[in-house]
Amino acid sequence: MAVWARQVSRWCCLLNAARAVEFPRRLRSCGSTARACHEFAPLAVLPARNEAVLWRLQANRHVSVGSCSPPDSAKDGSFSSPESNLPSPVKQEQAKAETLPDLNAKILNADWDDIPPSSALEEISEEEAVQIIAEPLLPLQSSTLRDYVDHSETLVKLVHLGVDLSQVEKRQKAGQLLLTLDFEKDIKKIILFLKDVGVEDNQLGPFLTKNPYILGEDLEALETRVAYLKSKKFGKSEIAQMVSRAPYLLLFSVERLDNRLGFFKNELGLSVKKTKDLVIRFPRLLTGKLEPVKENLQVCQIELGFQRNEIQQLVYKTPKILTASKKRLKQTFDYLHNIMGIPHHMLTRFPQVFNSKLLRIRERHMFLAFLGRAQYDPAQPSYISLDQLVSLPDEVFCSEIAKASIQDFENFLKTL
């Protein structure tokens, strides 16, 4: 029923258009009624472009006066149309007008399948109703970005890059930021910038997962921060390494980066070269809080008893000491120094032992002590370095250091 109604509406539109095209021709014909002639008369008030148009309007006005019946010449069988009495310029204009294309023919040749859109109030059949597919509504608010992926081209492209939206939405206001950004306008230029800095394609997803806030940063500000690092003689590969390992690095202003570099240089008494090398290997020193760093430096000096030059060696070789848990740092030192008898200078030579789990150190030391092989003095035979104690796998430790089988070690651990 709805299709039939639209078809009838289409036909009516075509008929009205055809009438509109035919109407001026009827006005020019001699067989037109007096009403039609009077309807044509108002055209005389339109501005004429040339004298020929004025002649034509006057002639038509003359014909419209009185009756539109045939002139006397028609009584003897020879009828002449009003156009034949017009001056030559008007005849030329008339000839030009008749060469215009027939718009009615074009309308009749129109595509009948091009049905105009239906009204929202029009009734439709059940068959048409079941074919309508409604688009899902965009939620006004949600606690997960998953509800917006189907509506956001930006989120879809970020997922294709490898961004984990489930992790991004856990970061404060990060989800809201992504929903306000356009990929082509806002995000694409940041991605190209990161690639130019040196972030690999397979690292872009994890990088943006950890630091989605960089997508809202001003590109000029980011370029200024990279230029500052270059001015401090950091190479391109070194900057790429620092940015990849510390995703928040480029969120820091130039002033803040400069203050951080100056802090570590002055507090540790390191040279410029060693300070650069320190932050290259552990760039999170530039992005983390300074309070834990200051506290650990005091713990090493006051509570653990290391000298300033020993602290320099500890931190330069193992920068993680500056961000380690104070409790864990003190417990590890206590076991190494007070129970195993390792002096300060030996700990300074092998500071990586502070990165090992205390349980691992204790189990292996107790097994060596059980076997009578717990010898950590380099001046004595059968010396075992702290690096060998903590870094070797269990199989290698048992066979090369303890001179025992892995089964013996496992049986010993069961007795603890």
Side-chain angles (χ1 to χ4, degrees):
M1 183 66 182
V3 176
W4 178 84
R6 289 196 298 271
Q7 196 72 7
V8 171
S9 176
R10 177 62 175 172
W11 292 341
C12 292
C13 292
L14 293 177
L15 290 176
N16 291 333
R19 290 176 182 175
V21 174
E22 189 64 23
F23 180 68
R25 294 183 180 180
R26 295 204 311 268
L27 294 180
R28 292 194 301 270
S29 65
C30 179
S32 61
T33 63
R35 177 174 174 271
C37 293
H38 283 291
E39 287 175 346
F40 184 66
L43 292 176
V45 301
L46 296 176
R49 293 185 180 180
N50 50 50
E51 185 178 356
V53 176
L54 291 175
W55 275 95
R56 181 176 179 182
L57 294 175
Q58 291 174 1
N60 285 333
R61 189 182 298 109
H62 175 74
V63 173
S64 66
V65 176
S67 174
C68 284
S69 59
D72 294 338
S73 61
K75 295 180 181 180
D76 58 0
S78 61
F79 176 77
S80 60
S81 64
E83 285 83 352
S84 62
N85 298 325
L86 297 177
S88 297
V90 177
K91 291 182 180 180
Q92 295 176 2
E93 291 293 328
Q94 186 73 7
K96 292 181 181 179
E98 292 179 354
T99 61
L100 293 175
D102 191 351
L103 298 178
N104 189 27
K106 290 186 177 182
I107 294 175
L108 293 177
N109 292 330
D111 188 359
W112 289 88
D113 294 331
D114 187 14
I115 301 175
S118 59
S119 170
L121 301 178
E122 181 181 346
E123 295 184 2
I124 61 176
S125 64
E126 294 183 2
E127 291 78 6
E128 292 176 318
V130 298
Q131 295 178 0
I132 297 176
I133 301 176
E135 293 290 336
L137 295 177
L138 184 66
L140 297 179
Q141 61 181 5
S142 176
S143 60
T144 174
L145 289 173
R146 180 176 53 198
D147 295 336
Y148 297 92
V149 172
D150 293 336
H151 307 275
S152 173
E153 182 182 1
T154 296
L155 295 182
V156 171
K157 291 185 177 181
L158 288 175
V159 170
H160 290 166
L161 282 174
V163 178
D164 188 348
L165 297 182
S166 64
Q167 297 298 319
V168 171
E169 64 190 19
K170 295 178 181 178
R171 305 184 185 279
Q172 187 177 11
K173 297 184 179 180
Q176 297 176 12
L177 172 65
L178 295 187
L179 292 175
T180 60
L181 298 177
D182 179 82
F183 188 88
E184 295 295 329
K185 180 181 177 181
D186 305 314
I187 297 180
K188 187 175 181 180
K189 60 184 180 181
I190 302 298
I191 292 176
L192 294 176
F193 164 77
L194 292 175
K195 292 180 65 174
D196 184 63
V197 169
V199 179
E200 300 292 338
D201 290 345
N202 59 352
Q203 296 177 335
L204 284 173
F207 181 93
L208 295 177
T209 299
K210 296 177 181 178
N211 180 19
Y213 305 107
I214 196 172
L215 298 175
E217 286 289 306
D218 181 69
L219 181 60
E220 185 177 353
L222 296 175
E223 293 173 342
T224 301
R225 293 160 195 171
V226 173
Y228 166 78
L229 294 176
K230 291 181 179 179
S231 69
K232 293 298 181 180
K233 308 304 180 182
F234 288 96
K236 184 173 182 179
S237 61
E238 296 170 342
I239 294 175
Q241 179 180 337
M242 293 167 64
V243 171
S244 299
R245 291 185 177 182
Y248 286 97
L249 179 63
L250 294 181
L251 296 185
F252 285 69
S253 65
V254 170
E255 294 77 10
R256 194 170 183 181
L257 291 174
D258 190 67
N259 291 336
R260 289 297 178 93
L261 289 173
F263 170 82
F264 289 107
K265 180 180 180 299
N266 297 329
E267 288 292 322
L268 300 175
L270 299 175
S271 63
V272 174
K273 183 178 182 305
K274 285 190 174 182
T275 302
K276 285 176 50 183
D277 186 61
L278 177 69
V279 297
I280 290 173
R281 289 185 292 114
F282 198 61
R284 292 184 182 179
L285 290 175
L286 297 177
T287 61
K289 296 181 179 180
L290 292 180
E291 287 74 14
V293 173
K294 295 177 181 179
E295 292 176 357
N296 282 4
L297 288 175
Q298 291 180 352
V299 167
C300 289
Q301 184 175 1
I302 299 174
E303 299 186 35
L304 305 187
F306 287 100
Q307 301 297 319
R308 181 176 174 82
N309 63 326
E310 293 175 335
I311 294 176
Q312 289 178 355
Q313 297 182 50
L314 287 172
V315 171
Y316 183 73
K317 294 178 180 178
T318 312
K320 286 185 178 181
I321 290 178
L322 293 176
T323 59
S325 167
K326 292 187 297 180
K327 180 179 178 181
R328 176 185 170 185
L329 190 61
K330 290 187 288 185
Q331 289 178 342
T332 302
F333 174 82
D334 181 67
Y335 193 85
L336 290 169
H337 183 69
N338 297 323
I339 296 178
M340 295 176 59
I342 310 296
H344 284 82
H345 71 275
M346 291 295 296
L347 293 175
T348 304
R349 289 181 56 187
F350 302 101
Q352 61 270 24
V353 71
F354 288 100
N355 291 334
S356 301
K357 294 182 178 180
L358 180 58
L359 178 62
R360 184 186 185 92
I361 298 174
R362 183 168 59 243
E363 289 176 347
R364 292 190 174 189
H365 168 71
M366 294 180 68
F367 184 57
L368 291 175
F370 173 76
L371 298 176
R373 304 184 61 84
Q375 177 55 257
Y376 308 112
D377 185 355
Q380 300 296 325
S382 302
Y383 161 71
I384 298 175
S385 68
L386 294 179
D387 182 51
Q388 293 175 322
L389 178 69
V390 300
S391 63
L392 297 176
D394 286 343
E395 294 79 4
V396 179
F397 167 76
C398 291
S399 61
E400 296 185 6
I401 305 301
K403 307 299 182 181
S405 65
I406 186 66
Q407 189 63 41
D408 293 336
F409 183 52
E410 292 176 352
N411 291 335
F412 174 78
L413 295 180
K414 293 178 182 179
T415 63
L416 297 179

